[in-house]
Amino acid sequence: MAVKHLVENVRDIALVGHRAAGKTSLADALLFDAHAVDRLGSVDDGTSVADADAEEHKHHFSIDTHVLHADHDGKHLNILDAPGSPDFIGAALEALAAVETAVIVVSAVNGVEAVTRKMFAEATALGLSRAIVVNKLDADSVDLPSLVENIQASFGKNCVLFNVPDRTGPGMREIYCLLDPKQILPPSVPVDVARSRSALIEAVVESDEALLEKYLSEGKVTLAELEADISRALEAGTLIPIFCVSAKKDKGVRELLDALARYGLSPAFARKRLDGFQIGHNGSTHQIEPTEQEEFVGQVFKVVNDKFVGHLSFVRVMAGKLQHNHNVVNLRNGQTLRIGHLLEAQGKATTQVHEAGPGDIVAVAKVEGLEIGDTIAYTNHAPKLPLPHFPAPMFGLAIEPKTRGDEQKISIGLHKLASEDPTVKVTHDAQTHELVISGVSQLHLDIIRERLKARFGVEVNTKEPKIPYRETIQGDGAGDHKHKKQTGGRGQFAEVHLRIYPLSREITTQQQCEEQFANKSRFEKLRSVHYDPAFNFAFLDHTVGGSIPTNFIPAVEKGCKEMLERGVLAGYRIQDCAVEVHFGKYHDVDSSEAAFKTAARLAFKKAFMTARPALLEPIVKLEITTPSRYTGAVLGDLPTKRAHVENQDSLPGDMTVIYARAPLAEVAKYAAQLGGMTQGQGSYAMELSHYEMVPAAVQQQIASRVQLKKDEDEE
């Protein structure tokens, strides 16, 4: 079997929005109405085509983006059903990266919510066409006019009703399109029909100057003229249609399906999205044409490690044709990979295909080494697509195995799970010696723990991770140490004299570091300068007369670097300093690399403690979004966290965004605290900004809590 879709007939669509808006029920209804499945799936009874994961059945909400497809009215629709919980925002963002159209689903009961706003903003930033689906209109006490006002206040007046129900509530029966002025609507329609129809027509004609001029001069346009202009209006963003639906009652679904097929943007129509941002192998920009005649270029947007199928990489074909049994190049690392099997996915079910063209979404089976965001092509001269943007995972837990001996299993399992989710990060903290898993929230990491147990058979204990403080110095210092041991036979002898200096954070390269010391006359006879950007550390060899033989200088540097990892003041890694070895002594027989490493470590400790040592703490940027009525509470709480508020903006829909910086230690548990202040309606993004000196009182508290390990070589 082969996938053979003309690019003009492909529609790539992501269903996004807040949790419980009914996206998965809508996806099931779209498949059913398009005759892609034989029965209407249900989230409630576990028969949904999309939510087929064990954790999704258990929790009754989507965790991953599910890939679906249907053919309708001569068009092929790739439908990505994305999760709506803010805890799984990464999966929703990866879906948006693979489509031309974002269908933003809004619950008629709950209205515009936090993730609704986030998805609309992300879709806008990506240049996608947008449509809004108001779902659950069969619920009691739905006020459609107020809901439309809320949508327009949040997203703009170009959000206009495309169709309307005969009524809302359990008695809802029919959906009527507003395009045709000749269609007579019943008096039970819950909106002002004339006003809604005028708003729709104006949004459509605004994208076409000639049609707009005709409408303004004659006061009318034909239905054919309107329909011919809808796709252009969607692309231009002058039209963001609002569709009325009850997915569970299968009302309005067929009308939505018809509109997506008839007016939705194909990859060919939306080629402007591919203009000028692709970077070629030589740094140039390159225009990608979404045609079969172009050189093949595709991007991995989703990765799954399936227990039965194995490793699956979902690829959106941007240009050219991807064929099975063909080699491709991963432009991230230049690795050549063999594509054996191509699969078309319908939830968990897959069907083998032989090729995929522009706009098609297929899974590559059993090809290791592909990551989310990777560009693949037939040659390494193809343009490299930009990586999707994902929020940095800031909620961390330190983990350890419940059963001794499971460390390797845990490491393998966590790294596989992290490869599936760009908002999961697994690190081994060299300072705290902890394995730390970071994600978006507590729930996010709870799901990771459940999957670790279900897929890899291992359980873990968790605890709060230690804050990754850093150590530095504020002044110059000096220290020396003579290491001498005689226990029979060959002894150990080394003497090292060091000076230590602060090093500016503006230095980032070896050349800058060399220039820093070349400008100082006292360093004219420096023998060498070694710069390590990982610690912003410089090692200066300023010995003269062979006081330390050249072959032992690397051991001195190694001993100093070991102390950078271990820390001196409170056991945290050290940064922003330069060490100068200027004198030493050796013994022809008893000196060795090990002896000089030991002497260097202890000389470094002494020098460090004379140079006004200090702790640095991580400062994070906070972007807090809250309903405006809670702004005062949030602003009043931030100073208690040593936060500095930098700015705040008003958003549509009576929302406020607050920009602040705060120590990570003070906001590590901010998710729960913000939820309590805002009745669960606040959200925030957090990313590392920089490191800053810890206040003296706080530094004393931290140092007093830390039990330093004695250096095993300390005498």
Side-chain angles (χ1 to χ4, degrees):
M1 178 184 174
V3 174
K4 189 67 176 176
H5 309 126
L6 293 175
V7 65
E8 292 82 4
N9 293 333
V10 175
R11 305 286 184 266
D12 293 321
I13 298 154
L15 303 180
V16 295
H18 203 86
R19 176 180 167 184
K23 297 179 297 299
T24 299
S25 295
L26 178 60
D28 283 318
L30 288 168
L31 295 182
F32 180 70
D33 277 39
H35 306 293
V37 295
D38 296 330
R39 57 169 291 186
L40 180 60
S42 169
V43 174
D44 296 334
D45 64 19
T47 60
S48 170
V49 179
D51 281 355
D53 187 89
E55 284 77 26
E56 291 173 329
H57 285 167
K58 175 182 174 182
H59 294 282
H60 301 290
F61 55 72
S62 297
I63 296 171
D64 300 308
T65 286
H66 297 283
V67 180
L68 312 164
H69 66 271
D71 293 304
H72 179 71
D73 197 19
K75 306 300 189 294
H76 182 75
L77 282 70
N78 293 308
I79 302 168
L80 304 185
D81 175 32
S85 170
D87 310 276
F88 310 109
I89 193 75
L93 293 175
E94 71 187 18
L96 290 179
V99 301
E100 275 73 50
T101 300
V103 174
I104 299 145
V105 185
V106 176
S107 165
V109 177
N110 299 325
V112 175
E113 300 174 87
V115 177
T116 320
R117 292 185 175 88
K118 176 70 173 174
M119 291 297 99
F120 189 93
E122 291 289 341
T124 303
L126 288 170
L128 306 183
S129 70
R130 295 144 296 165
I132 294 171
V133 169
V134 176
N135 192 18
K136 303 186 179 182
L137 280 168
D138 58 307
D140 289 322
S141 304
V142 170
D143 185 345
L144 184 58
S146 295
L147 189 56
V148 171
E149 285 182 14
N150 183 229
I151 290 170
Q152 291 178 336
S154 299
F155 307 131
K157 293 293 184 181
N158 48 351
C159 299
V160 295
L161 283 166
F162 193 88
N163 56 25
V164 292
D166 57 347
R167 58 179 54 80
T168 60
M172 174 184 169
R173 293 289 182 271
E174 298 292 334
I175 298 290
Y176 298 93
C177 182
L178 289 170
L179 276 177
D180 188 356
K182 295 178 181 177
Q183 187 175 38
I184 306 300
L185 276 62
S188 58
V189 169
V191 297
D192 185 323
V193 172
R195 182 181 296 176
S196 298
R197 183 171 278 151
S198 294
L200 174 60
I201 293 171
E202 289 168 9
V204 173
V205 301
E206 190 180 337
S207 66
D208 186 314
E209 287 188 13
L211 196 60
L212 176 60
E213 185 176 340
K214 177 184 177 182
Y215 179 69
L216 292 175
S217 61
E218 299 179 14
K220 62 181 180 179
V221 289
T222 67
L223 179 59
E225 288 172 322
L226 283 175
E227 290 188 319
D229 209 46
I230 288 174
S231 294
R232 186 181 294 109
L234 286 170
E235 183 193 31
T238 64
L239 169 65
I240 301 173
I242 301 173
F243 295 93
C244 295
V245 164
S246 169
K248 284 193 174 181
K249 292 206 168 184
D250 200 16
K251 299 296 182 184
V253 177
R254 181 58 181 258
E255 289 80 0
L256 173 63
L257 192 59
D258 288 343
L260 291 173
R262 189 174 303 165
Y263 311 120
L265 300 192
S266 75
F269 199 98
R271 59 167 47 92
K272 284 185 180 179
R273 189 183 169 204
L274 302 175
D275 284 356
F277 61 32
Q278 287 78 19
I279 306 301
H281 69 287
N282 60 356
S284 63
T285 60
H286 180 88
Q287 170 69 51
I288 291 180
E289 288 290 336
T291 67
E292 289 190 359
Q293 290 69 43
E294 274 274 303
E295 178 183 359
F296 163 68
V297 179
Q299 186 167 41
V300 178
F301 70 92
K302 173 181 170 66
V303 168
V304 174
N305 292 294
D306 188 271
K307 193 168 15 177
F308 303 105
V309 183
H311 186 89
L312 292 178
S313 303
F314 286 83
V315 177
R316 158 68 195 267
V317 179
M318 296 296 184
K321 288 193 295 187
L322 173 61
Q323 297 174 320
H324 77 135
N325 294 329
H326 206 294
N327 289 343
V328 298
V329 178
N330 185 344
L331 298 187
R332 172 173 53 85
N333 54 20
Q335 183 181 8
T336 299
L337 304 168
R338 181 71 173 175
I339 304 297
H341 299 287
L342 294 179
L343 303 172
E344 190 173 39
Q346 189 74 289
K348 281 283 188 181
T350 57
T351 304
Q352 189 168 335
V353 298
H354 297 308
E355 67 178 30
D360 284 333
I361 290 174
V362 289
V364 175
K366 299 178 181 178
V367 178
E368 301 289 339
L370 288 175
E371 299 178 1
I372 291 171
D374 282 352
T375 301
I376 58 173
Y378 284 157
T379 73
N380 57 13
H381 298 296
K384 186 177 179 182
L385 299 168
L387 294 173
H389 173 72
F390 298 101
M394 296 302 297
F395 187 91
L397 289 175
I399 67 171
E400 55 188 25
K402 278 190 176 180
T403 304
R404 184 168 296 194
D406 278 349
E407 289 83 0
Q408 186 70 15
K409 274 186 178 180
I410 289 171
S411 179
I412 292 171
L414 285 177
H415 281 90
K416 283 192 173 184
L417 292 171
S419 73
E420 299 179 4
D421 188 339
T423 58
V424 171
K425 185 178 179 183
V426 181
T427 56
H428 186 273
D429 197 309
Q431 301 170 70
T432 62
H433 308 291
E434 293 175 322
L435 184 62
V436 177
I437 180 170
S438 301
V440 173
S441 67
Q442 179 70 56
L443 175 60
H444 188 201
L445 297 189
D446 286 345
I447 296 296
I448 295 296
R449 290 173 61 193
E450 289 180 18
R451 290 185 163 178
L452 193 61
K453 180 180 178 181
R455 295 191 196 176
F456 304 98
V458 289
E459 295 186 73
V460 296
N461 294 320
T462 61
K463 59 182 179 180
E464 284 186 43
K466 298 173 185 175
I467 300 297
Y469 293 102
R470 302 285 170 85
E471 298 182 14
T472 193
I473 53 173
Q474 302 176 78
D476 298 350
D480 60 83
H481 187 80
K482 181 189 289 186
H483 177 64
K484 183 177 181 180
K485 278 189 178 180
Q486 195 72 43
T487 56
R490 181 175 177 178
Q492 296 181 39
F493 181 86
E495 186 173 336
V496 173
H497 292 244
L498 303 175
R499 299 187 186 103
I500 192 168
Y501 317 98
L503 190 64
S504 169
R505 291 184 203 170
E506 294 179 2
I507 292 175
T508 58
T509 67
Q510 173 75 24
Q511 183 178 348
Q512 289 175 326
C513 188
E514 290 174 356
E515 291 171 354
Q516 169 83 4
F517 295 101
N519 293 333
K520 298 180 180 179
S521 58
R522 64 177 299 272
F523 290 113
E524 285 181 4
K525 295 183 179 180
L526 270 180
R527 297 175 64 193
S528 65
V529 177
H530 292 165
Y531 177 68
D532 186 341
F535 298 90
N536 192 36
F537 169 74
F539 179 78
L540 318 176
D541 178 7
H542 205 182
T543 56
V544 293
S547 60
I548 298 178
T550 302
N551 60 307
F552 290 135
I553 294 297
V556 175
E557 181 176 1
K558 201 172 289 184
C560 292
K561 284 190 171 182
E562 286 181 5
M563 293 311 300
L564 297 180
E565 286 283 5
R566 295 184 186 186
V568 175
L569 184 63
Y572 298 103
R573 70 184 288 181
I574 294 168
Q575 66 179 47
D576 306 333
C577 66
V579 166
E580 170 198 2
V581 55
H582 62 92
F583 182 69
K585 293 180 182 178
Y586 71 101
H587 188 276
D588 288 334
V589 176
D590 292 343
S591 288
S592 64
E593 287 189 8
F596 270 100
K597 270 207 309 183
T598 300
R601 284 200 303 266
L602 299 174
F604 182 99
K605 288 180 75 171
K606 293 175 182 176
F608 189 88
M609 293 305 293
T610 67
R612 292 168 54 212
L615 281 181
L616 300 171
E617 63 182 345
I619 305 297
V620 294
K621 290 189 290 186
L622 286 170
E623 186 175 313
I624 306 162
T625 304
T626 176
S628 297
R629 61 185 177 278
Y630 300 118
T631 301
V634 174
L635 289 173
D637 176 69
L638 285 171
T640 69
K641 295 173 169 44
R642 296 194 282 129
H644 172 66
V645 176
E646 298 182 326
N647 198 5
Q648 66 182 79
D649 289 326
S650 296
L651 298 179
D654 199 27
M655 299 291 288
T656 299
V657 60
I658 299 166
Y659 303 93
R661 294 179 195 263
L664 175 59
E666 301 288 347
V667 292
K669 299 180 181 179
Y670 193 56
Q673 296 163 353
L674 180 63
M677 284 184 286
T678 63
Q679 302 296 308
Q681 298 178 62
S683 62
Y684 73 102
M686 180 166 66
E687 63 181 72
L688 180 66
S689 171
H690 63 283
Y691 273 80
E692 203 170 89
M693 206 73 70
V694 175
V698 178
Q699 178 172 309
Q700 189 173 359
Q701 294 171 10
I702 296 167
S704 67
R705 293 197 303 260
V706 176
Q707 180 66 43
L708 287 175
K709 291 183 179 179
K710 283 193 172 184
D711 191 292
E712 60 183 11
D713 297 317
E714 189 172 1
E715 295 180 330

